[in-house]
Amino acid sequence: MTAPTEATRGAGRRAVEPAARFRDLLAAEWLKLFSLRSTYGSLALIAVSAVLFSVRAALADHHNWPGYSAERQAAFDPIHDAFPEEGWLFVILAAGAVGAVAIAGEYASGQIRTTFAAVPARSAVAAAKVLVLATVMLAVGVLTAAVSFGLSQAILADRGAGASLGDPGALRAVVASALLLPVCALIGLGFGALLRHTAPAIVATTGLLLLLPLAFDLENRWTAAIHNALPVPAWERLVANPYIQFNEHLATIPGSWVALAVWPVVATLVAALVVHRREP
């Protein structure tokens, strides 16, 4: 009988090696995400900028409240102070960048080849990456939205102008703002998988989230419909941002929820398809 060679023994060992468990993939993707220094900076930027802009808006209205007319006080919307558009633009940009870097950086460094060599099941790798990213960004989103709402309304309560979660539209605004972070991050992930380079992925994500909504004529029914279907305008509708008053063809609340839900699903499918079919 011929003695087994080293190659034969190695092949036998590889044959009995257990496949990577999904929880192991989740742990690996968690380590990858938080091994990037940009992740910490982006998450800090998200939380700090959102809270500070909310507090700033609330303090401004608190200071100016005695000078507001009775009509302005009656029409005042305290929820806008919790989620001012100018502050949440930083949130949107940073969240999209986190998603883009999470996968584009791995392609750029070549680490993705090592990942696929260790785990040939690319769909499982993509699913783990999506789940870790969405979970982290949702946790940050819930914390950021809750603190922004709580602090801003506590400041306004001194003037009797604050809102509670039980007020019409308040809970909806908090939930929509919390979900905005994973939505933007997954859109960034989709562009990162498609373009495979960090800078173009961030530019494309920024273009879709922040620049494309400016390109549509809101006086035209069809272009306004496209505008309303974009993720950031859908969020603005759900938080009742005052800028939506310039839209003559205002989106419905259910339609805005659908838009906010469809975008991350499409981005996830794009990322999974690209990862599965294209060679790294």
Side-chain angles (χ1 to χ4, degrees), residues 32-47:
K32 288 179 188 176
L33 181 63
F34 284 98
S35 66
L36 300 171
R37 287 177 292 180
S38 60
T39 298
Y40 295 94
S42 297
L43 295 182
L45 175 64
I46 288 170

Side-chain angles (χ1 to χ4, degrees), residues 106-132:
E106 195 170 353
Y107 272 106
S109 66
Q111 186 183 8
I112 195 73
R113 299 188 186 92
T114 304
T115 299
F116 290 155
V119 186
R122 298 185 182 184
S123 298
V125 173
K129 193 177 290 291
V130 166
L131 186 56
V132 168

Side-chain angles (χ1 to χ4, degrees), residues 2 7 25 34 39 47 50 63 84 90 103 105 131-132 139 145 150 180 182 187 197 201 232 239 249-250 259 270 272:
T2 304
L25 297 180
F34 284 98
T39 298
H63 175 75
F90 289 98
I103 190 167
L131 186 56
V132 168
L180 182 64
I187 290 173
H197 293 282
V232 173
V239 299
H249 304 281
L250 197 61
V270 168

Side-chain angles (χ1 to χ4, degrees), residues 5-277:
T5 64
E6 183 64 28
T8 304
R9 288 194 295 269
R13 286 195 298 269
R14 288 193 297 271
V16 298
E17 285 179 355
R21 296 170 296 184
F22 190 68
R23 66 182 182 183
D24 296 328
L25 297 180
L26 292 175
E29 292 303 327
W30 178 276
L31 291 174
K32 288 179 188 176
L33 181 63
F34 284 98
S35 66
L36 300 171
R37 287 177 292 180
S38 60
T39 298
Y40 295 94
S42 297
L43 295 182
L45 175 64
I46 288 170
V48 172
S49 63
V51 172
L52 288 182
F53 272 94
S54 297
V55 169
R56 174 180 175 273
L59 287 174
D61 281 320
H62 180 279
H63 175 75
N64 296 326
W65 187 260
Y68 290 165
S69 64
E71 293 79 9
R72 183 169 182 178
Q73 290 184 4
F76 179 71
D77 181 10
I79 297 175
H80 177 247
D81 281 358
F83 310 109
E85 184 183 56
E86 62 272 17
W88 279 74
L89 292 179
F90 289 98
V91 173
I92 293 165
L93 178 60
V98 170
V101 172
I103 190 167
E106 195 170 353
Y107 272 106
S109 66
Q111 186 183 8
I112 195 73
R113 299 188 186 92
T114 304
T115 299
F116 290 155
V119 186
R122 298 185 182 184
S123 298
V125 173
K129 193 177 290 291
V130 166
L131 186 56
V132 168
L133 179 64
T135 301
V136 170
M137 298 309 293
L138 179 59
V140 176
V142 170
L143 177 64
T144 301
V147 173
S148 297
F149 182 83
L151 287 179
S152 61
Q153 302 315 303
I155 293 170
L156 293 171
D158 186 52
R159 297 292 191 186
S164 68
L165 283 177
D167 290 346
L171 182 59
R172 182 185 72 207
V174 173
V175 173
S177 299
L179 292 176
L180 182 64
L181 270 68
V183 168
C184 295
L186 290 176
I187 290 173
L189 184 77
F191 276 118
L194 192 63
L195 300 176
R196 299 189 173 193
H197 293 282
T198 303
I202 292 177
V203 170
T205 303
T206 303
L208 173 64
L209 294 174
L210 301 182
L211 301 181
L212 188 58
L214 304 177
F216 294 98
D217 179 11
L218 300 184
E219 296 181 0
N220 181 280
R221 176 183 177 185
W222 299 110
T223 56
I226 298 173
H227 171 272
N228 295 338
L230 295 174
V232 173
W235 167 76
E236 291 176 341
R237 177 68 177 96
L238 294 171
V239 299
N241 189 293
Y243 290 106
I244 65 174
Q245 66 182 306
F246 300 109
N247 188 347
E248 295 186 5
H249 304 281
L250 197 61
T252 64
I253 295 298
S256 297
W257 279 122
V258 170
L260 207 62
V262 166
W263 277 100
V265 172
V266 172
T268 298
L269 292 176
V270 168
L273 183 64
V274 170
V275 166
H276 180 72
R277 290 186 175 273

